[in-house]
Amino acid sequence: ATAGKRGNNAAQLEMMQMLMSQMFGGSVPTLRKVIESSGETKMPSVQPTSTVREASLIMAKLRKGVLVMASDAALVGIFTPKDLLSRVIAKGLNPDETTVSQVMTPNPDSVSADLTLLDALKEMHDQKFLHLPVRESSGKVIGLVDVMDLVSHSAGEGGGKGWRDFFSGAMA
């Protein structure tokens, strides 16, 4: 009868960590591993001067948002489907005339490549983010993960077997 009540978070987190650990064979992968295993050979990025249409075509192909990188490889923003909907479409802006720099989220928070998948999901939940830029300790941006990347990666080998194992264990 404690479902939905606050105060259980430590026990819930401990249970989730145990189940995730079982799913991943003893260790939860880091964002570095998620990015390396994604098969993406190019970081999803555009320049601030790119048009919204150009960015949208890349986003549609990759099925995620894009990083906005300056010519010196500095992260200056992020442009996501949410930005496209709320800052371009809803306001009636022309995607062929609007630059990404006009409608992006500037100076986005980023996380360490060594953050675990579970900690990244918690950060996304707590901050209400769907996308997270990922950096090396040197500050170099190495990629972008979205919530679906993390959920899909957590499914483990075999097309969702990890989640079947998780629910079997959680419901037992």
Side-chain angles (χ1 to χ4, degrees), residues 72-112:
D72 64 357
L75 176 64
V76 296
I78 188 171
F79 186 63
T80 69
K82 181 179 173 184
D83 297 324
L84 177 64
L85 289 171
S86 63
R87 296 178 182 169
V88 180
I89 304 300
K91 293 185 177 179
L93 299 179
N94 184 334
D96 294 311
E97 295 175 1
T98 306
T99 62
V100 171
S101 64
Q102 294 173 282
V103 291
M104 69 183 185
T105 300
N107 307 312
D109 291 343
S110 59
V111 294
S112 166

Side-chain angles (χ1 to χ4, degrees), residues 135-157:
R135 295 181 186 262
E136 292 285 9
S137 57
S138 66
K140 177 185 175 192
V141 178
I142 63 163
L144 176 70
V145 295
D146 68 14
V147 71
M148 287 308 298
D149 292 331
L150 301 183
V151 170
S152 295
H153 192 86
S154 70
E157 303 288 328

Side-chain angles (χ1 to χ4, degrees), residues 51-130:
T51 67
V52 167
R53 171 130 10 240
E54 292 166 338
S56 297
L57 291 171
I58 293 168
M59 290 165 53
K61 182 179 178 184
L62 298 174
R63 302 185 73 182
K64 67 167 38 172
V66 291
L67 299 167
V68 183
M69 308 291 286
S71 57
D72 64 357
L75 176 64
V76 296
I78 188 171
F79 186 63
T80 69
K82 181 179 173 184
D83 297 324
L84 177 64
L85 289 171
S86 63
R87 296 178 182 169
V88 180
I89 304 300
K91 293 185 177 179
L93 299 179
N94 184 334
D96 294 311
E97 295 175 1
T98 306
T99 62
V100 171
S101 64
Q102 294 173 282
V103 291
M104 69 183 185
T105 300
N107 307 312
D109 291 343
S110 59
V111 294
S112 166
D114 297 319
L115 193 69
T116 67
L117 181 150
L118 187 58
D119 289 332
L121 284 170
K122 182 180 181 326
E123 178 74 11
M124 293 171 108
H125 172 268
D126 292 350
Q127 302 300 323
K128 297 179 177 37
F129 294 154
L130 296 176

